[in-house]
């Protein structure tokens, strides 16, 4: 969602801000803006434009038009007030002295706005953010930090703020509560951003701000304060992501690059965790005592991460015989979940910043659960608030549609299921060894799956004109279908649904008519015969069937289905990990053929930081 950047140094700020904002475009936005302190005019210079960042950049000739070496920038994803120049950030106080960029939502903005308007303060936007700028000005008596402190006592909600004041031309104030903000420590310069990828070109030394933190950025360095406004020492963390990891590297789209990176991401994720035929979590363990008392597992996540949880439930229950509930982050806190100190709560998130998932985590913690998170972004909020973390090490994922994060999350959760089964004694040695051997084959077999991408491209060219597509499957294949369907709809805008095949005759089959495209998933060998019956069922009603199955079932499936995508045979636990790849590619090629904006689908954001 919205993105914040800020910099103070000796170089012209505007080009740096615009370049930083371009790194945040993937998060999703509808307008952009920058504010810099113009030292010759002695005032803030603010420029905003609705639409793509390029519009703003063209207006400012790439930033060359703006003098000044200190500034903040923003990409906005509209919540309060439609996308427009006026509603874009930075929002400025009525005197023009204070400029604010903001991610999050100020929940009590209406009440504060009414108060300020009652004081005769004019407003120019519909945003909640303008309230912050006006309120700082209202409390400002010559001491910026004091005014900000007074505002923080009055605003409620989630916010990451970057604040400029014309009277303080040599500093930027940053504040964080429930919305990510990262500080970059350079030589003679300091930076802020809501995402580490915007900092990598300038520095690898970062500070992850915590909730309630406030920081003052100057050319000489960064001073942090805690929520009581007392100076606080913060750890400077070295980020080890390669600068080009967040670049397209010759690929047309980030999504395609990230699909192709999956075997490598899996090797990074798995190889340190499988040593001499054993699963080893160096960074994580659960005591014997805890394991014996563990009575339930909850998996909490949103979107594709939730779909990982759906597969994980089948694996965990089958292997450990412990009941597993999978809950949507957005539902968890409203459903009176049964969690106690013997419940293991597995929180899954690529970004580590999804607000609903974070809220669920906090609720689970309040209820006493033990929180283990599976996260990609190191140092993210979910990672920091968990009792334990397993990082996926997939590297930066830029495309809104997740691919390599999904496969690494799934691999890690499956590995965890196997590890738990071994510890609980619910798996035989032979089955455990077979599972581990399967993991060793996974990256290579994924390479092989990807090498057949031309077949998928051909199927996409056959079917890209369909308006409605159904995914059906049973058990693991049903969970896989949920992800295949989401992938397709989010980037190609084709209406698509996933159903458990057995449910067809309870309603959905009435939608199947001549020419309806059904993607029939049947990778799970034990249920192949059942899957075939469902294929026949929909074919009889006129559907075109694009099937997905394993190499060993290909021939049989080809006798009935209209087209067949295949994956190599692999250990049953890992079928969804391979099976998702053709579905990702299918979604990608279909979206490409329909001319969609693949990396930045409409209305979507990479990291959903509002409820
Ligand atoms: O960062 P998270 O894993 O918490 O994100 C959760 C969802 O927003 C995310 O998986 C979303 O569904 C993706 N766009 C799907 O491709």
């Amino acid at each position: 969602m919205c993105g914040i950047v800020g910099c103070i140094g000796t170089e012209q700020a505007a080009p740096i801000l615009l370049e930083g904002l371009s790194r945040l475009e993937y998060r999703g936005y509808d307008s952009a803006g920058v504010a810099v302190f113009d030292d010759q005019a002695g005032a803030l210079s603010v420029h905003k434009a609705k639409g793509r960042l390029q519009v703003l950049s063209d207006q400012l000739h790439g930033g060359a038009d703006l003098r000044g070496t200190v500034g903040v920038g923003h990409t906005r994803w509209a919540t309060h007030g439609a996308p427009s120049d006026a509603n874009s950030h930075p929002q400025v106080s009525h005197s023009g002295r204070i400029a604010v960029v903001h991610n999050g939502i100020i929940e009590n903005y209406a009440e504060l706005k009414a108060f300020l308007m009652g004081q005769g303060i004019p407003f120019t936007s519909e945003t909640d953010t303008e309230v912050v700028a006006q309120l700082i000005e209202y409390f400002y008596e010559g001491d910026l930090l004091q005014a900000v402190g007074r505002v923080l006592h009055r605003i409620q909600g989630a916010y990451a703020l970057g604040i400029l004041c014309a009277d303080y031309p040599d500093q930027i104030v940053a504040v964080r509560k429930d919305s990510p903000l990262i500080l970059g420590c350079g030589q003679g310069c300091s930076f802020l951003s809501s995402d580490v990828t915007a900092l990598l070109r300038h520095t690898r030394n970062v500070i992850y701000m915590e909730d309630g933190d406030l920081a003052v950025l100057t050319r000489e360095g960064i001073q942090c304060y805690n929520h009581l406004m007392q100076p606080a020492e913060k750890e400077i963390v070295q980020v080890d992501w390669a600068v080009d990891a967040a670049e397209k590297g010759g690929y047309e789209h980030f999504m395609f690059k990230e699909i192709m990176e999956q075997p490598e991401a899996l090797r990074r994720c798995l190889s340190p965790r499988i040593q001499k035929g054993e699963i080893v979590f160096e960074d994580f363990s659960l005591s014997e005592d805890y394991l014996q008392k563990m009575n339930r597992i909850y998996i909490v996540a949103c979107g594709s991460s939730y779909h990982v949880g759906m597969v994980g439930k089948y694996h965990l229950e089958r292997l450990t015989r412990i009941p597993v509930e999978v809950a949507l982050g957005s539902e968890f806190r409203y459903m009176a979940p049964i969690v106690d100190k013997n419940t293991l709560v597995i929180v899954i998130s690529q970004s580590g910043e999804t607000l609903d998932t974070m809220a669920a985590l906090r609720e689970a913690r309040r209820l006493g659960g033990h929180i283990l998170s599976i996260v990609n972004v190191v140092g993210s909020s979910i990672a920091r608030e968990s009792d334990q973390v397993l990082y996926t090490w997939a590297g930066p994922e830029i495309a809104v549609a997740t691919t390599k994060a999904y496969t690494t999350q799934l691999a890690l959760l499956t590995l965890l299921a196997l590890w738990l089964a071994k510890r609980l004694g619910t798996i035989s040695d032979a089955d455990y060894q077979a599972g581990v051997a399967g993991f060793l084959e996974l990256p290579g077999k994924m390479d092989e799956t990807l090498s057949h991408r031309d077949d998928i491209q051909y199927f996409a060219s056959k079917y890209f004109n369909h308006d409605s597509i159904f995914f059906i499957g049973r058990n693991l294949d049903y969970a896989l279908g949920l992800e295949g369907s989401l992938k397709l709809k989010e980037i190609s805008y084709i209406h698509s649904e996933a159903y458990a095949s057995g449910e067809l005759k309870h309603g959905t089959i009435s939608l199947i008519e001549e020419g309806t495209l059904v993607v029939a998933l049947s990778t799970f060998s034990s249920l192949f015969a059942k899957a075939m019956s469902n294929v026949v069922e929909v074919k009889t009603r006129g559907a075109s069937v694009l099937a997905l199955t394993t190499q060993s079932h290909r021939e049989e499936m080809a006798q009935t289905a209209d087209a067949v995508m295949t994956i190599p045979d692999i250990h049953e636990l890992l079928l969804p990990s391979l099976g998702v790849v053709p579905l990702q590619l299918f979604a990608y090629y279909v979206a490409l053929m329909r001319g969609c904006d693949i990396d930045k689908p409409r209305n979507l954001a990479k990291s959903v930081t509002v409820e």
Side-chain angles (χ1 to χ4, degrees):
M1 299 207 139
C2 308
I4 287 180
V5 292
C7 68
I8 175 162
T10 48
E11 287 177 42
Q12 194 180 11
I16 297 176
L17 296 172
L18 290 170
E19 195 273 334
L21 289 179
S22 74
R23 310 252 155 211
L24 304 184
E25 279 189 285
Y26 78 94
R27 294 166 66 96
Y29 71 105
D30 44 53
S31 49
V34 293
V36 293
F37 179 75
D38 180 334
D39 26 17
Q40 287 184 30
L44 299 181
S45 170
V46 181
H47 300 265
K48 312 192 279 192
K50 180 184 160 189
R52 288 287 183 213
L53 178 63
Q54 196 58 45
V55 177
L56 179 72
S57 183
D58 288 348
Q59 281 174 13
L60 302 175
H61 299 105
D65 288 1
L66 291 188
R67 288 184 296 247
T69 55
V70 50
V72 290
H74 192 262
T75 44
R76 172 174 188 253
W77 192 85
T79 55
H80 294 60
S84 69
D85 291 359
N87 288 334
S88 308
H89 301 198
Q91 286 293 321
V92 181
S93 64
H94 61 96
S95 71
R97 191 201 314 256
I98 311 279
V100 173
V101 288
H102 166 217
N103 287 359
I105 289 177
I106 306 299
E107 284 163 3
N108 58 339
Y109 85 102
E111 176 194 318
L112 294 168
K113 186 169 179 174
F115 165 75
L116 289 165
M117 287 178 80
Q119 304 297 307
I121 294 171
F123 275 72
T124 56
S125 81
E126 300 155 90
T127 64
D128 50 339
T129 306
E130 187 179 358
V131 166
V132 180
Q134 302 285 19
L135 207 54
I136 297 174
E137 172 94 46
Y138 178 77
F139 286 124
Y140 182 69
E141 290 169 346
D143 184 335
L144 179 61
L145 273 196
Q146 197 178 56
V148 172
R150 292 178 76 181
V151 170
L152 297 182
H153 279 114
R154 282 160 180 87
I155 56 176
Q156 291 161 13
Y159 43 84
L161 301 169
I163 303 164
L164 275 189
C165 174
D167 295 350
Y168 286 79
D170 297 315
Q171 58 177 249
I172 305 173
V173 175
V175 181
R176 177 207 156 124
K177 181 177 167 276
D178 290 342
S179 191
L181 202 53
I182 301 160
L183 308 175
C185 315
Q187 295 283 337
C189 46
S190 302
F191 304 89
L192 77 153
S193 173
S194 36
D195 193 313
V196 82
T197 50
L199 299 176
L200 289 177
R201 295 209 144 244
H202 308 288
T203 181
R204 287 169 175 287
N205 297 330
V206 306
I207 296 172
Y208 292 100
M209 291 183 80
E210 284 171 58
D211 277 348
D213 282 354
L214 180 149
V216 177
L217 286 73
T218 64
R219 293 179 182 83
E220 292 70 42
I222 297 176
Q223 175 63 60
C224 292
Y225 299 87
N226 64 19
H227 65 286
L228 300 170
M229 291 294 219
Q230 294 159 336
E233 280 300 312
K234 289 278 164 189
E235 185 192 1
I236 298 181
V237 178
Q238 276 252 326
V239 180
D240 60 4
W241 282 357
V243 178
D244 60 1
E247 288 171 3
K248 280 193 203 150
Y251 288 96
E252 196 181 344
H253 296 103
F254 278 112
M255 182 180 177
F256 190 65
K257 174 182 179 242
E258 288 158 6
I259 290 174
M260 297 305 287
E261 281 173 352
Q262 289 179 106
E264 205 37 53
L266 281 171
R267 286 186 185 99
R268 257 198 320 272
C269 172
L270 293 174
S271 53
R273 291 166 169 144
I274 301 179
Q275 292 170 21
K276 299 187 185 129
E278 284 296 327
I279 300 169
V280 183
F281 289 120
E282 282 178 351
D283 37 4
F284 159 79
S285 194
L286 291 170
S287 71
E288 213 49 53
D289 184 47
Y290 182 83
L291 284 172
Q292 290 316 317
K293 291 184 183 147
M294 187 168 72
N295 56 10
R296 180 190 301 268
I297 297 174
Y298 247 111
I299 302 177
V300 186
C302 296
S304 293
S305 299
Y306 171 79
H307 297 155
V308 168
M310 292 290 288
V311 178
K313 174 182 165 75
Y314 288 115
H315 289 341
L316 281 159
E317 286 189 336
R318 193 166 289 147
L319 290 172
T320 67
R321 310 309 300 151
I322 291 181
V324 180
E325 301 278 341
V326 193
L328 288 164
S330 52
E331 289 291 316
F332 185 79
R333 62 195 188 282
Y334 306 119
M335 63 191 225
I338 302 171
V339 171
D340 63 23
K341 63 179 181 353
N342 298 321
T343 311
L344 177 64
V345 181
I346 304 176
V347 177
I348 308 177
S349 175
Q350 185 285 129
S351 60
E353 302 294 348
T354 302
L355 191 112
D356 282 324
T357 309
M358 174 61 118
L361 180 159
R362 288 180 180 163
E363 175 64 2
R365 169 181 292 267
R366 191 186 68 78
L367 295 169
H370 182 83
I371 318 286
L372 165 65
S373 62
I374 295 181
V375 172
N376 189 37
V377 178
V378 176
S380 55
S381 307
I382 289 175
R384 279 184 292 115
E385 291 202 20
S386 302
D387 295 309
Q388 288 174 301
V389 189
L390 285 171
Y391 283 113
T392 47
W393 297 327
E397 191 179 68
I398 306 297
V400 164
T402 182
T403 52
K404 62 177 179 171
Y406 175 93
T407 37
T408 49
Q409 287 168 348
L410 185 54
L412 211 42
L413 188 59
T414 308
L415 200 66
L416 179 70
L418 206 52
W419 179 85
L420 279 171
K422 174 88 187 287
R423 294 283 308 273
L424 292 165
T426 49
I427 190 171
S428 70
D429 278 352
D431 286 350
Y432 173 79
Q433 291 309 333
V436 173
F439 273 103
L440 297 176
E441 289 178 348
L442 181 62
K445 292 203 168 173
M446 193 166 284
D447 274 323
E448 192 184 331
T449 311
L450 286 166
S451 71
H452 297 302
R453 58 188 178 279
D454 289 355
D455 296 346
I456 313 289
Q457 186 168 16
Y458 169 69
F459 297 139
S461 72
K462 243 176 119 173
Y463 296 118
F464 78 97
N465 265 332
H466 281 256
D467 293 330
S468 183
I469 300 181
F470 295 92
F471 286 72
I472 59 169
R474 286 174 192 264
N475 198 274
L476 293 178
D477 287 319
Y478 166 52
L480 179 60
L482 292 170
E483 177 60 7
S485 168
L486 175 63
K487 211 85 304 168
L488 182 74
K489 74 184 105 179
E490 75 176 320
I491 59 168
S492 72
Y493 314 143
I494 296 177
H495 169 255
S496 148
E497 303 285 342
Y499 288 99
S501 310
E503 276 296 291
L504 281 178
K505 50 188 149 317
H506 298 290
T508 320
I509 204 154
S510 64
L511 295 170
I512 308 293
E513 52 184 15
E514 201 56 42
T516 306
L517 181 61
V518 174
V519 180
L521 309 176
S522 79
T523 65
F524 192 28
S525 200
S526 350
L527 293 174
F528 183 77
K530 300 257 179 222
M532 280 303 288
S533 321
N534 293 120
V535 169
V536 172
E537 215 167 61
V538 292
K539 284 280 312 169
T540 313
R541 282 151 185 92
S544 299
V545 173
L546 170 62
L548 173 72
T549 190
T550 51
Q551 205 61 50
S552 56
H553 287 107
R554 182 193 173 83
E555 251 175 57
E556 198 179 341
M557 180 56 88
Q559 286 165 19
T560 312
D562 297 276
V564 186
M565 307 183 275
T566 44
I567 54 169
D569 288 278
I570 194 161
H571 190 286
E572 157 178 305
L573 281 174
L574 300 167
L575 287 166
S577 297
L578 279 190
V580 75
V581 174
L583 304 184
Q584 296 168 343
L585 286 165
F586 183 69
Y588 173 78
Y589 287 125
V590 166
L592 193 66
M593 285 162 199
R594 291 169 74 98
C596 300
D597 189 352
I598 293 182
D599 285 338
K600 287 172 255 159
R602 69 182 178 211
N603 303 335
L604 288 176
K606 180 68 180 163
S607 160
V608 183
T609 50
V610 293
E611 186 172 352

